[in-house]
Amino acid sequence: MNRLALFTACSSLVSSWVLACPTHSMLTAEEVAGIDRSNAALVHTHSAGADSLAGNNVIGAFKLNLTGATGHSPNATINSFVSLTQSDVQEVWFDASYIYVKHTGVPSHDIGRADGNNPAYARNLNRTSRLPRTPGVNGTTATGNGGIGVMVNGALLFNPGDAMSYNNANTWFRNALTFEGATFDIGPGHSAPQGGTPGNSTPGQYHYHIGPTALLNQIDAGNTGSRHSPIIGFAFDGYPIYGPYGYANPNDPSSAIKRLDTSYKVRDDLTALGAARNSLTEGGATLASNLRGPAVSATYPGGAFLQDYKYVAGLGDLNEYNMRFMVTPEYPQGTPAYVMTLDANGAWTYPYVVGPKYYGAVDTSNIGPTGGAVTIPAAATRLRAGDANLDGAVNFDDLLLLAQNYERSGVTLWTDGDFTSDTNVNFDDLLALAQNYSGSGLQSDWAMAQSLVPEPTSAAVGLFTFFVQRRRRGPYDGRRG
């Protein structure tokens, strides 16, 4: 029997459970109305400022793999490898100081190109990245080669460069979008070869150099400015990275939504064909002839090299780090945050995600050949599907939070009950909670939770299937298929 038919067949039974709720049966109509009014204020609880420690809400920002799904590629050779590796994030742990993210580096969107123009396939990185929950401020550390952050799907973020320079002179560093864009998949990303001859059967480290639009389409589909963008990742200094839309007034969550613009532009002296790349900065000292770059041309257009850009304070919404201090759904008290930048046509704009330097102090455990080999402390708490209030247990308090937000869509957080990271609190989230529920009477607990929510929604119709599914499956730990 399909879900809809089962819902219809059981709706009357479920409704009787709700009407028989002992909480309401012992209260007067006035007392019930009072409970409903007070609980109405709890709906979408993140708006009330639930981030008591550096944004508790962000602990649940990661795209946990709750089904055991594996990677997929339109390229048969690459698919033969990535289909053996779980996608997205496998586990999230946290303590008072850090968030620990266990991830393979293989995202759940299609990876690799069907035409075979791939430098490598995405191997299982088997990483544990560590993110400070109270990031410091440094502001001087350049974003070097290799990973500079982790996205919420567990894929790595690299800086805009491709680690190569014109004539290998280490002066004009190449923009990966210009020189490697032909190898980008729908991510858009690709894998850096790690030994062997580059090709579809060579293992590599999957990463993005520019804004991960495929990820954004998974976790914020259809958003063209109707709502605040979600967190799409974290730089390795611990500061969050948001999608392109934020509040027009960075301190006012009631202000309009707007696309946040970069304050970088191609240098004025490098916009015309034939312009000479004789200086590393606009109006700067003339370089020796062996250090000059190629003239601006169709092959080397303005913006082809990282040194083609300049920062102009006030040109856009963001500073030189490609960030601003702003109130967000996850940080109602505000936070410095990086932003994925696009133009009005949806094209990527430099520096794409994180600026040339980190704003914060980098956690070096994430950097270099040994990066991502952190040991999770024994005292850390594991995040489990259903733990909406992040207290380490899945119980009635979490069930109530989910009930208060059931059928909410748009800007939804883990702490609202959106455990599947799909911007909806719905049956799939109920099912995820059920697999880890530690209460003694889920059926009566859900009826009670629902009775405390003003104007109970169609959540009641799904109860019977909810319980049946729970009886058929054991506790869910994110590893099962």
Side-chain angles (χ1 to χ4, degrees), residues 335-359:
T335 183
Y338 300 101
V339 177
M340 165 186 164
T341 46
L342 303 172
D343 67 16
N345 297 315
W348 302 276
T349 53
Y350 183 88
Y352 312 118
V353 185
V354 177
K357 295 179 181 179
Y358 296 97
Y359 176 69

Side-chain angles (χ1 to χ4, degrees), residues 380-403:
T381 299
R382 182 178 176 182
L383 180 67
R384 293 186 180 277
D387 186 9
N389 63 3
L390 305 169
D391 67 353
V394 181
N395 53 29
F396 180 79
D397 292 335
D398 306 298
L399 197 61
L400 179 58
L401 281 169
L402 190 149

Side-chain angles (χ1 to χ4, degrees), residues 27-366:
L27 300 176
T28 67
E30 290 78 13
E31 288 171 326
V32 171
I35 290 174
D36 287 349
R37 282 194 299 271
S38 63
N39 278 285
L42 297 177
V43 175
H44 207 36
T45 52
H46 72 251
S47 62
D51 60 336
S52 60
L53 176 60
N56 281 340
N57 284 310
V58 305
I59 294 171
F62 293 91
K63 198 171 183 294
L64 276 177
N65 184 340
L66 300 177
T67 65
T70 60
H72 182 269
S73 176
N75 181 280
T77 301
I78 290 179
N79 193 62
S80 68
F81 295 107
V82 299
S83 62
L84 303 177
T85 299
Q86 284 198 17
S87 58
D88 293 338
V89 171
Q90 282 61 60
E91 296 177 16
V92 173
W93 297 72
F94 60 97
D95 57 24
S97 300
Y98 296 100
I99 301 172
Y100 307 89
V101 185
K102 296 189 72 171
H103 54 114
T104 63
V106 175
S108 54
H109 63 70
D110 277 1
I111 51 178
R113 297 173 60 98
D115 63 12
N117 194 21
N118 301 294
Y121 72 85
R123 73 172 181 87
N124 184 351
L125 302 181
N126 193 26
R127 282 182 62 104
T128 300
S129 295
R130 187 176 71 183
L131 302 170
R133 295 187 64 187
T134 53
V137 176
N138 180 296
T140 61
T141 305
T143 56
N145 297 325
I148 65 169
V150 59
M151 310 316 285
V152 297
N153 61 0
L156 293 177
L157 174 69
F158 280 24
N159 75 13
D162 73 351
M164 299 182 68
S165 62
Y166 181 69
N167 285 341
N168 296 318
N170 291 322
T171 306
W172 297 89
F173 288 93
R174 306 192 327 179
N175 188 331
L177 180 59
T178 301
F179 289 92
E180 297 182 338
T183 69
F184 290 176
D185 57 27
I186 65 165
H190 63 181
S191 299
Q194 296 178 304
T197 302
N200 296 340
S201 59
T202 299
Q205 190 175 54
Y206 188 85
H207 60 276
Y208 309 107
H209 289 278
I210 57 181
T213 50
L215 166 61
L216 200 59
N217 289 336
Q218 288 180 318
I219 64 175
D220 196 26
N223 185 10
T224 57
S226 61
R227 57 183 177 264
H228 198 289
S229 290
I231 291 175
I232 61 171
F234 292 82
F236 283 147
D237 59 4
Y239 285 103
I241 302 166
Y242 279 85
Y245 300 108
Y247 301 124
N249 181 338
N251 299 310
D252 183 4
S254 67
S255 63
I257 300 294
K258 69 165 294 186
R259 179 177 49 80
L260 303 179
D261 281 319
T262 178
S263 292
Y264 284 84
K265 60 178 287 188
V266 173
R267 291 163 38 180
D268 294 332
D269 61 334
L270 296 178
T271 57
L273 289 175
R277 288 183 171 94
N278 292 338
S279 172
L280 288 177
T281 58
E282 190 170 297
T286 300
L287 295 168
S289 58
N290 64 313
L291 298 179
R292 297 173 188 173
V296 175
S297 65
T299 303
Y300 302 107
F305 299 90
L306 306 189
Q307 288 70 31
D308 288 359
Y309 291 92
K310 68 176 180 180
Y311 169 71
V312 181
L315 178 65
D317 303 286
L318 309 175
N319 63 17
E320 64 268 36
Y321 303 102
N322 215 42
M323 72 187 325
R324 70 172 183 172
F325 183 91
M326 59 188 190
V327 168
T328 73
E330 293 82 0
Y331 294 91
Q333 306 307 314
T335 183
Y338 300 101
V339 177
M340 165 186 164
T341 46
L342 303 172
D343 67 16
N345 297 315
W348 302 276
T349 53
Y350 183 88
Y352 312 118
V353 185
V354 177
K357 295 179 181 179
Y358 296 97
Y359 176 69
V362 181
D363 189 321
T364 56
S365 69
N366 301 305

